[in-house]
Amino acid sequence: MLIKTDCEDSQACPLCTLNLDIKHTDVLILSQFLRKDGCLLPRRITGLCNKQQLRLKYLVAMSQKA
């Protein structure tokens, strides 16, 4: 994963930990959370909290439509 946090072994959400404000135009960050077919990876693999996973789902959909 390209997004690195100081404490990799913690159970905290990486996006919440880094306090990132991702937009639908940040395709390099969004692409880290996608499979080759364009589907979003599940939460157990991404390690995101429910709030960030839903937000990411919305941003990926917006990015694909743009």
Side-chain angles (χ1 to χ4, degrees):
M1 182 179 246
L2 294 176
I3 295 177
K4 302 260 187 218
T5 58
D6 291 336
C7 48
E8 288 292 327
D9 58 349
S10 73
Q11 295 297 322
C13 171
L15 296 182
C16 292
T17 304
L18 295 172
N19 199 16
L20 291 177
D21 184 29
I22 299 175
K23 308 247 186 299
H24 71 281
T25 56
D26 299 325
V27 292
L28 292 177
I29 296 174
L30 292 176
S31 65
Q32 295 181 67
F33 299 101
L34 297 177
R35 296 188 309 210
K36 289 183 180 181
D37 63 354
C39 295
L40 194 61
L41 290 170
R43 264 184 71 201
R44 62 183 169 79
I45 295 175
T46 61
L48 298 176
C49 63
N50 192 37
K51 177 182 173 184
Q52 292 294 343
Q53 183 77 12
L54 291 175
R55 185 170 180 266
L56 198 66
K57 180 180 176 183
Y58 175 73
L59 290 174
V60 166
M62 282 179 56
S63 179
Q64 290 172 343
K65 289 178 185 177

